[in-house]
Amino acid sequence: MTTGTELAFNVLDEPWIPVRTHDGSVREVGLKEAFRHASGYSGLAETSPPNLIALYRLLFAVLHRALATQYGPWTSTDRARWFREGLPQDVVQSYLEKWRDRFWLFHPTHPFMQVAALAEAEETRNKHKPVGQLALESSTGNMVLLFDHSLDDRPTAMTYASACRSLLGLCQFTPGGLVKAVRDSDKAGPLANTAAVVPLGRNLSETLLMGLHPYDAIRPNDLPAWERSPPGLDELRAPPSLATGPNDRYTRLARAVLLLPHTVSGEVRQIRFAAGLALEEDMNAPDPMACYRINKNEQPIRVTFTEGRAVWRDLPSLVPDASRANDIPPAILGWAADLLMILGEWDIDVPILTAGLASDQAKLLRWRIERLVLPKAMLTNPDASAELRAQVRLAERRYRELNIFLSKMIVQTMPNPAHKDTLSRARQILEQSPASAEFFSAAERALPALMKQIARGEVDTAVRSWQQALVEAAEDAWEAVRRSLGDSPVVLRAEARVWSRFRGWLKSLTPVSGEACYEETTT
C-alpha cells in the first residue's frame, strides 16, 4: 500500500460524476466535461441521495467561483443571459485549469476534499479505518445496516470514483457524534437530517443557473475548500466556525479524511479519519437548500424525511411565506424564482428535487429522493402560495379530525372500551394501520389539479375540488382501516356505533355546488 503521496486521479479529467443524457443513457464524466456538455445532460444520475445533493453543491460552488473570479459582481440579469445563451465555457474551463493542482484525489499536500495532515498526525498516521466509513449506507463499527454485510477487518473496496462521491456525501450529511481522533466528538455536517431541495431545469446547465447563489459583495471571500490553505491539526481542533457563505457550506470538510489507495487493485480499502472543520449554525444565514417549520416555541425546525410521510405534505415550508411566521422556505427556490421572472417564463412548471437522509443522533434512519412539480406561480405569487399552504394544512386538519372517528371505532372493538388506557392503545393501533397511507395517497392524486387551478387564479374551483377530494380520501381511509380490523361481529358492531357520526361529519365537509368553504381554509 502506498502512502498516498503520488499524484493520481484528477477529478477534472477522470470519469466519476454520473450524468444522464437526454436519451436516458447514464455514464460517468469528469468535472470539466460535466460543465462543457452540461446542456446535453438532463441531470445528474447519482443514486445515493446524500452523494447526489453533494455533487450538485460541488457544481454550484465551482460555477459561482468561476463567474466571480472572471466577472466580479455579476447580477441576476447576467444569470438570465447565461441561461439563454449557455454557460460561459471559456470562463469555467479556465477557472478549473487554474486550480488543477487542487483537484488531484491523491496529492502529497492538498488532495481533493481531504486533509493531508492526517498522514503525519500522531492520532491518525498508524490508525486506519475501512473505506465503508465514507458511505453513509455502509456497515462500519456499531452501525449495522440491513443490506450491507461488510466487516471492518475485511472491508469492501471502493473505486476511486465511488470513494470520491461518497466523500462528498459524507461531508455534507454526516450526523454529529463520537469521532475520537483529533477531538472526541464532532458536529454534524451542513445537511445532517435534512431533506435538501434543488430546483431542476430542462438540462444540467439550466439546473445550475436556476439554483446558483447570487454574488454577495458583503462576503467576497466566501471560498470553497480547494481555494483555501490545506487545514492542519490546529484548524481541526479549533472551535466550530460560521460558514463564510454558500461556497464554504457546500464544500465544508465536516470530517477530515485521507484516502489510502491500494496499488495492486487500484481501489480504496482503507482511510485515515478524524474530526473535521466543525460548522456552527447561524439561523440568520440558514442553509440555502434547507426549509424550516416554525414550532410552537417559535423555533425553526428543519424539514426532514419521516417514515410514511410524503414530501408534498411539507409544501407549506417549500413555497414562499412573506411573513415567515410559520415557515422558512429554502433560499435556492427564491433564486430560481428571480431568474424565471427575469426570463418572463410565466407558465412553466418547475420540478423540485428533494433528497437526503434522516437520522436520530448518530443513527441513520432512512434516505429518500422525491420529485415534485410546482407551477411557477407557487414560487413567485404570494397569494397563490398562501392559498396552497392553506389547502395543504386543511388536509392535515381533516386527517386529524378523521383520526378521532377511527380511534372511536377501534376502541369499540377492544375489551373494556371505557377504560382510560383503551383509547391510548387504540391510537397506537391506528398509527400502524393503513389510514395515513390511504388518506394522503388519495389526496395526492388531486394535488396537481389543485396547484394548477390556484396558479390560474381559479381559486373557487380549486377549493371545491380539493374539499371533495379530501372527503373521498377520508372515505378511502375509513374503509381501509375497517378492512384491516376484519369482519367479526365485534368489528361490525363497532363500525355501526360510529358510522352515523362519521357520515354526518363527511356531509358537513362536502362542498355545496358553486360555494367554497373559505372559513375552513384560513391559516
Side-chain angles (χ1 to χ4, degrees):
M1 180 175 292
T2 70
T3 61
T5 59
E6 293 83 2
L7 297 181
F9 200 86
N10 196 293
V11 299
L12 300 186
D13 311 313
E14 299 285 352
W16 68 286
I17 301 175
V19 294
R20 179 173 289 104
T21 62
H22 292 294
D23 64 6
S25 60
V26 174
R27 61 194 184 95
E28 293 183 0
V29 299
L31 197 51
K32 294 189 71 173
E33 187 175 347
F35 281 102
R36 186 180 293 115
H37 301 293
S39 61
Y41 306 134
S42 61
L44 300 183
E46 170 63 40
T47 57
S48 162
N51 298 358
L52 174 63
I53 294 297
L55 283 170
Y56 273 118
R57 286 160 81 91
L58 171 70
L59 297 177
F60 285 133
V62 168
L63 181 57
H64 188 277
R65 285 300 299 155
L67 298 175
T69 300
Q70 176 66 27
Y71 300 113
W74 49 270
T75 66
S76 294
T77 302
D78 296 320
R79 193 160 55 111
R81 185 178 74 255
W82 298 323
F83 191 93
R84 297 188 190 97
E85 300 174 358
L87 296 175
Q89 289 296 334
D90 292 345
V91 171
V92 177
Q93 301 298 323
S94 176
Y95 171 81
L96 290 173
E97 281 299 326
K98 175 183 177 181
W99 293 99
R100 169 172 286 275
D101 202 42
R102 298 295 182 93
F103 286 95
W104 291 98
L105 194 61
F106 303 101
H107 191 284
T109 57
H110 36 258
F112 177 64
M113 295 297 292
Q114 298 164 73
V115 179
L118 299 186
E120 303 299 330
E122 182 177 354
E123 299 98 320
T124 56
R125 64 188 176 199
N126 296 320
K127 295 180 180 179
H128 299 163
K129 288 184 174 290
V131 70
Q133 187 88 19
L134 297 180
L136 293 167
E137 74 274 20
S138 291
S139 172
T140 58
N142 64 353
M143 177 63 74
V144 181
L145 301 181
L146 181 59
F147 297 111
D148 182 59
H149 304 287
S150 60
L151 301 176
D152 286 357
D153 57 353
R154 285 181 292 177
T156 302
M158 284 189 185
T159 63
Y160 292 167
S162 179
C164 191
R165 296 194 300 268
S166 294
L167 172 61
L168 295 179
L170 175 78
C171 286
Q172 290 299 311
F173 284 90
T174 182
L178 296 176
V179 178
K180 296 184 178 180
V182 179
R183 289 197 306 271
D184 286 340
S185 62
D186 205 0
K187 293 180 74 69
L191 287 176
N193 204 25
T194 301
V197 177
V198 178
L200 300 177
R202 291 163 292 192
N203 55 55
L204 180 57
S205 176
E206 291 187 0
T207 295
L208 295 180
L209 288 166
M210 288 178 67
L212 186 63
H213 43 296
Y215 183 90
D216 188 348
I218 299 176
R219 295 183 291 187
N221 295 319
D222 173 28
L223 303 179
W226 54 85
E227 289 194 45
R228 298 173 180 270
S229 299
L233 294 186
D234 289 343
E235 287 81 3
L236 300 182
R237 293 191 179 106
S241 62
L242 297 173
T244 57
N247 294 325
D248 181 9
R249 293 189 69 93
Y250 289 177
T251 62
R252 175 67 71 109
L253 302 182
R255 292 294 181 270
V257 174
L258 186 61
L259 304 178
L260 301 176
H262 197 279
T263 55
V264 177
S265 65
E267 298 172 315
V268 180
R269 297 183 180 178
Q270 293 182 316
I271 63 173
R272 294 187 176 96
F273 186 88
L277 302 176
L279 177 67
E280 186 68 42
E281 289 292 352
D282 178 8
M283 277 313 301
N284 293 317
D287 193 284
M289 293 185 184
C291 48
Y292 299 80
R293 290 191 294 267
I294 305 300
N295 65 13
K296 295 179 180 179
N297 298 322
E298 299 185 355
Q299 297 299 314
I301 305 297
R302 282 196 188 197
V303 171
T304 185
F305 294 109
T306 56
E307 185 175 4
R309 182 184 176 92
V311 169
W312 73 265
R313 294 172 62 184
D314 289 308
L315 273 173
S317 301
L318 286 174
V319 297
D321 181 359
S323 68
R324 294 171 68 95
N326 298 302
D327 305 281
I328 304 176
I332 193 171
L333 295 186
W335 302 331
D338 290 344
L339 176 62
L340 294 175
M341 291 182 70
I342 292 174
L343 292 169
E345 299 191 9
W346 306 108
D347 299 324
I348 68 171
D349 291 335
V350 182
I352 305 296
L353 172 74
T354 58
L357 59 82
S359 58
D360 180 9
Q361 298 180 350
K363 298 298 182 182
L364 307 182
L365 303 177
R366 64 191 65 86
W367 67 7
R368 196 183 304 169
I369 297 176
E370 292 194 28
R371 181 182 170 111
L372 296 169
V373 179
L374 297 180
K376 175 179 170 285
M378 295 305 163
L379 301 179
T380 58
N381 185 331
D383 292 336
S385 61
E387 188 63 51
L388 178 62
R389 281 198 307 275
Q391 297 307 323
V392 173
R393 288 184 174 130
L394 175 64
E396 297 288 345
R397 185 159 65 250
R398 290 290 178 258
Y399 182 66
R400 291 194 298 270
E401 294 167 356
L402 171 65
N403 276 352
I404 295 173
F405 295 99
L406 292 174
S407 297
K408 289 180 178 178
M409 178 172 65
I410 296 173
V411 162
Q412 294 299 322
T413 68
M414 303 172 69
N416 197 5
H419 193 276
K420 62 179 182 180
D421 293 332
T422 303
L423 180 59
S424 177
R425 294 199 301 273
R427 288 170 177 165
Q428 292 174 359
I429 293 172
L430 181 58
E431 288 178 1
Q432 302 302 317
S433 78
S436 176
E438 285 287 340
F439 180 88
F440 287 107
S441 61
E444 186 174 5
R445 291 192 290 271
L447 183 66
L450 171 73
M451 292 192 293
K452 288 183 180 298
Q453 289 168 337
I454 292 175
R456 293 195 298 262
E458 302 169 1
V459 177
D460 287 352
T461 301
V463 171
R464 287 196 302 272
S465 299
W466 181 245
Q467 290 173 337
Q468 181 60 41
L470 296 182
V471 168
E472 294 171 1
E475 292 175 327
D476 291 347
W478 174 279
E479 181 59 25
V481 173
R482 219 284 303 152
R483 288 197 307 268
S484 71
L485 295 174
D487 293 316
S488 69
V490 172
V491 172
L492 297 178
R493 284 195 298 270
E495 181 184 27
R497 290 190 179 103
V498 185
W499 175 254
S500 60
R501 282 173 288 174
F502 169 66
R503 295 306 305 179
W505 173 69
L506 288 183
K507 185 177 180 180
S508 72
L509 303 181
T510 303
V512 178
S513 179
E515 297 182 4
C517 302
Y518 287 103
E519 70 276 9
E520 296 291 352
T521 67
T522 56
T523 57

